[in-house]
């Protein structure tokens, strides 16, 4: 599916959520879910502020979306500032969300993050995780957005 101007607007919002996460002391990731009828759920990374290594923006969003029925989730689009890690891709897969659009690729992020607290990044693109499952998830990305890179600038050097 081609990335539309509306997709880009939602990705810009995901980047804004990533800035909010960074500014409150969390890792710079943000995500939102848009249902077919226009409802929007938003989430930010909360790894640091909630002391939860699973508190990635996408897993937080999947938790919020858990109250939605399967048909709604299948017709929904998840937008994220950065391509989801393997854990988040698994959560997206199991949630039933039908489409995902991301800005910054995991490969580009891995080029900025040598390690996090002594642990190197897990280099596994979300498409590879989804390909191992039995249902299709439409994936669009990476979508070049300057802000998706800028939100990480200097963060991982700390």
């Amino acid at each position: 599916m081609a990335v539309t101007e509306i997709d880009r607007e939602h990705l810009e919002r995901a980047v804004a959520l990533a800035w909010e996460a960074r500014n409150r002391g969390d890792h710079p990731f943000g995500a939102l879910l848009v249902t077919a009828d226009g409802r929007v759920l938003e989430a930010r990374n909360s790894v640091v502020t909630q002391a939860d290594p699973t508190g990635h923006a996408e897993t937080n969003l999947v938790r919020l979306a858990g109250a939605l029925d399967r048909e709604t989730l299948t017709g929904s689009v998840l937008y994220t500032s950065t391509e989801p890690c393997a854990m988040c891709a698994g959560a997206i897969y199991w949630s039933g969300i039908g489409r995902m659009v991301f800005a910054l690729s995991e490969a580009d992020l891995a080029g900025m993050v040598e390690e996090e607290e002594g642990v190197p990044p897990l280099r596994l693109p979300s498409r590879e995780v989804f390909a191992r499952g039995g249902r299709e998830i439409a994936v669009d990305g990476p979508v070049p957005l300057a802000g998706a890179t800028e939100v990480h600038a200097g963060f991982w050097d700390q």
Side-chain angles (χ1 to χ4, degrees), residues 16-148:
L17 293 168
W19 276 110
E20 290 177 16
R22 180 178 177 160
N23 290 338
R24 74 177 187 199
D26 282 304
H27 299 169
F29 300 96
L32 61 135
L33 183 81
V34 180
T35 65
D37 65 2
R39 285 181 285 172
V40 177
L41 301 175
E42 297 183 340
R44 295 151 200 83
N45 182 287
S46 61
V47 167
V48 176
T49 57
Q50 297 296 313
D52 178 2
T54 68
H56 294 195
E58 298 87 357
T59 53
N60 288 340
L61 185 61
V62 167
R63 285 184 197 103
L64 288 173
L68 301 175
D69 62 77
R70 181 63 73 154
E71 183 179 343
T72 299
L73 287 166
T74 300
S76 296
V77 182
L78 186 148
Y79 296 92
T80 183
S81 60
T82 306
E83 182 175 3
C85 71
M87 175 185 69
C88 292
I92 293 164
Y93 175 83
W94 289 111
S95 75
I97 293 167
R99 180 176 178 233
M100 180 185 76
V101 184
F102 65 89
L104 186 69
S105 73
E106 65 83 28
D108 287 339
L109 177 64
M112 291 184 260
V113 183
E114 187 173 315
E115 62 180 39
E116 179 189 334
E117 296 178 8
V119 180
L122 182 61
R123 297 168 200 258
L124 183 60
S126 58
R127 283 180 175 93
E128 288 186 37
V129 175
F130 297 150
R132 302 294 179 144
R135 73 174 189 90
E136 189 171 325
I137 299 171
V139 178
D140 291 299
V143 177
L145 291 179

